[in-house]
Amino acid sequence: MSELSVNNLLGIKYLNTDDLKLIFKTADNFKEVINRKIKKVPSLRDVTIANLFFENSTRTKLSFELAQKRLSADVVNFSSSGSSISKGETLIDTVNNILSMKVDMIVMRHPSPGASVFLSKNVDSCIINAGDGTHEHPTQALLDAYSLQEKIGDLENKNILIVGDIMHSRVALSNIFAYQKLGANVTVCGPKSLIPNDISSLNVKVETDFKKALNNSDAVNMLRIQNERMSETYFPSIREYVKQYGLTKNILDSLDKEIIVMHPGPINRGVEITSEVADSEQAIILDQVENGVAIRMAVMYLLASKLK
Ligand code: CP
């Protein structure tokens, strides 16, 4: 297969296994490029991309922009603060105005779940979802799976654990879809109040005993508590959460085998993960960030080849 089955990247849900493998194969080539002395190729020289960020970001925003520059695309950046959104302009009007300046592709982060799907149905452009509220964060899941595969090989039948605020995490949902499409088994772990009631419909296992869950895993993805998406409290105190679900070196050392530790960032050191673990040899957190550029180059390159 040489092209994606989709014209937009709205979520991992909409991709098939061949799409994931094609993105990874393409990312292998771009990873080689960005490790050269001259880290740039002319692949998207005639393509203009707008990055629309309606929500804060460090990794995703910089990673997309670097990926675009490495591919020689023209780039414009929009953030909602300081824009005419505050004067009442709608999302569709905003994007149509940007597109009328001959922009070919939109990368959007938005706090509302479904914002990218909504946009794709209402404007004539290629849309890449850079995280939409509690819904999906497809490029994060792609870079997570790619980084893990690089470390432990084929993910078929591997056991992946996702820990923490599953309820409010777009990373959790995209990770579940990606790992399952690659043949892995997914378990989620955390306080019952932070695990959606309908999670079993996704064919994932639920485990509330953190140590037991870790012992049955090849890799663990530690998630941040998404306080910004909570309007009520979901557990008695941070201290109690840390005691039950915080990943420490002592816990890792007490396991039957060495497992890979992942985190999408931003990290809350001392909450879901200690500094000792985050900075340890077992953690591949900065490898994930590094691979994010190659993965995003691959996604934009493959989608650009489908532009009308
Ligand atoms: N992982 C992630 O999406 O980080 P940012 O919010 O900094 O982009």
Side-chain angles (χ1 to χ4, degrees), residues 25-95:
K25 198 167 132 236
T26 311
D28 285 342
N29 295 331
F30 286 128
K31 187 162 176 174
E32 189 265 313
V33 167
I34 59 179
N35 280 294
R36 287 182 201 157
K37 193 159 185 289
I38 296 169
K39 303 172 175 58
K40 210 163 166 154
V41 282
S43 314
L44 296 196
R45 203 174 41 201
D46 300 320
V47 176
T48 304
I49 307 175
N51 298 317
L52 276 56
F53 278 73
F54 294 87
E55 196 187 71
N56 294 343
S57 169
T58 298
R59 279 147 291 272
T60 313
K61 190 164 185 267
L62 288 178
S63 179
F64 265 112
E65 194 174 340
L66 264 178
Q68 291 150 359
K69 289 178 172 166
R70 303 286 192 236
L71 290 166
S72 306
D74 288 323
V75 184
V76 284
N77 289 305
F78 166 98
S79 61
S80 48
S81 64
S83 76
S84 290
I85 293 273
S86 63
K87 300 173 195 165
E89 193 167 41
T90 65
L91 175 63
I92 294 174
D93 281 340
T94 300
V95 174

Side-chain angles (χ1 to χ4, degrees), residues 13 24 38-39 60 71 84 95 99 119 125 144 146 169 190 197 214 251 258 270 283 297:
K13 185 169 62 182
F24 292 172
I38 296 169
K39 303 172 175 58
T60 313
L71 290 166
S84 290
V95 174
L99 290 175
L119 196 59
S125 183
D144 289 345
Y146 181 80
S169 172
N197 289 332
L214 286 165
I251 295 176
E258 196 166 286
M297 287 171 82

Side-chain angles (χ1 to χ4, degrees), residues 40 55 124 154 208 246 267:
K40 210 163 166 154
E55 196 187 71
D124 185 17
D154 195 338
T208 47
I267 294 173

Side-chain angles (χ1 to χ4, degrees), residues 50 52 95 98-99 103-108 119 125-128:
L52 276 56
V95 174
I98 292 169
L99 290 175
V103 165
D104 303 297
M105 195 182 277
I106 299 285
V107 173
M108 183 172 77
L119 196 59
S125 183
C126 168
I127 310 293
I128 298 177

